[in-house]
Amino acid sequence: MKNYFDFTGKKYLVTGASAGIGRATAIYLSKQGATVVLTGRNEERLNETRDMMEGTGHILVSGDLCEIDDMTDIFQKSISDNVKLDGIVHCAGVSMTGSLSSLNKKEFDDMMHVNIYILLEMIRLFSKRKYHNQGQCSVVSISSIAAVDPGKCQTIYAAAKAGMNAAIQTVAQEVAGKGIRVNSIMPSLTKTRMYYDFIKAIGEEEVAQVVEGQLLGVPEPEEIAETIMFLLSDASCAITGRAMYVDSGRL
């Protein structure tokens, strides 16, 4: 039987690779033989991620996606070794929880920019022949269960993730003919920095009530990375345009 999780010879761009789900995914991919282009705001933490990875040839590209409109430079650096990409994992996110009265336009713009505009900009570039390998390619973006079951103080976050899911449904139709599949996953509360920020924002008691509804508990980032690996692999070759629940049984 074919080993669908052997990524030897594959190459992936992972945003938000300096921590959390992005870091876990980058490490997982390297252990399965892939070459990874790591992007993130903090170059020191990106180097820490690379030190945890296996294999060689991984590329670091630091930058704040909130401040970037044109991703061309990042894609050019991604193929500076003359090897095209087989997929993208968009894990970069903006952590924001707050009451409606505390919201401002800068926070709103950053949330929408990273979650929707940057995702679509990357898919636009990735769909060009000079950036992606021929055959099955895959884009996976990290949405959130908040897109369909938002909690207190998640107004803009939930709206951005719901917008991401909607965008994926339509853009998947545009790039399918180029052999590119596009999907998102919707994790519930996961043990990342955003989880602890959420505790600070609404309190331990309210978060505990949410966690109680997660039948399988609060997963580690590595557990979410396993679903990402499935969607990157040919084992999911019949799945595109979908937002997949990875919610520990919460819904």
Side-chain angles (χ1 to χ4, degrees):
M1 179 178 290
K2 179 179 179 181
N3 180 5
Y4 286 104
F5 291 89
D6 180 1
F7 288 83
T8 302
K10 301 288 187 178
K11 183 180 180 184
Y12 297 92
L13 168 64
V14 179
T15 71
S18 56
I21 295 171
R23 170 175 284 181
T25 301
I27 293 170
Y28 204 143
L29 280 167
S30 74
K31 289 181 176 180
Q32 299 302 315
T35 301
V36 183
V37 180
L38 306 106
T39 71
R41 286 176 290 187
N42 190 307
E43 188 169 354
E44 182 179 349
R45 291 209 301 262
L46 283 178
N47 277 300
E48 290 174 359
T49 300
R50 183 167 61 179
D51 290 343
M52 300 175 190
M53 295 168 66
E54 297 183 8
T56 59
H58 307 300
I59 299 172
L60 267 64
V61 185
S62 60
D64 186 348
L65 296 185
C66 289
E67 306 297 328
I68 294 173
D69 292 329
D70 185 349
M71 295 285 289
T72 303
D73 185 57
I74 289 177
F75 271 75
Q76 285 293 106
K77 290 177 179 177
S78 296
I79 60 167
S80 59
D81 56 359
N82 295 315
V83 178
K84 297 179 183 180
L85 296 165
D86 293 283
I88 299 170
V89 184
H90 185 36
C91 298
V94 179
S95 177
M96 187 186 76
T97 51
S99 64
L100 186 63
S101 61
S102 70
L103 297 178
N104 60 68
K105 191 172 186 301
K106 175 65 166 61
E107 291 177 337
F108 176 89
D109 288 346
D110 285 350
M111 188 67 72
M112 297 298 176
H113 182 82
V114 171
N115 282 286
I116 301 176
Y117 175 77
I118 289 296
L119 172 63
L120 295 179
E121 169 69 358
M122 287 195 295
I123 296 172
R124 182 184 71 82
L125 290 169
F126 182 56
S127 66
K128 295 185 177 183
R129 183 172 294 181
K130 66 178 178 178
Y131 293 123
H132 75 270
N133 281 315
Q134 298 301 301
Q136 284 280 348
C137 292
S138 179
V139 176
V140 181
S141 189
I142 309 305
S143 180
S144 169
I145 203 66
V148 294
D149 186 32
K152 183 179 179 181
C153 300
Q154 288 188 305
T155 306
I156 302 304
Y157 179 75
K161 295 301 188 181
M164 173 188 289
N165 291 347
I168 279 172
Q169 288 183 24
T170 182
V171 77
Q173 298 175 56
E174 293 192 48
V175 299
K178 298 182 179 182
I180 300 172
R181 296 182 295 108
V182 186
N183 296 287
S184 67
I185 65 169
M186 296 187 288
S188 52
L189 285 175
T190 303
K191 290 181 182 177
T192 65
R193 178 172 52 86
M194 288 187 184
Y195 168 66
Y196 298 104
D197 287 346
F198 196 42
I199 292 176
K200 291 179 183 177
I202 70 171
E204 290 188 10
E205 288 189 10
E206 290 204 40
V207 172
Q209 291 177 8
V210 175
V211 171
E212 188 177 354
Q214 295 190 185
L215 304 180
L216 302 179
V218 183
E220 298 289 342
E222 290 76 13
E223 295 174 80
I224 306 302
E226 291 177 348
T227 300
I228 294 170
M229 297 290 283
F230 165 69
L231 288 173
L232 290 177
S233 77
D234 289 348
S236 61
C237 64
I239 302 174
T240 195
R242 293 290 127 219
M244 180 175 290
Y245 292 97
V246 191
D247 64 343
S248 296
R250 176 168 153 186
L251 296 185

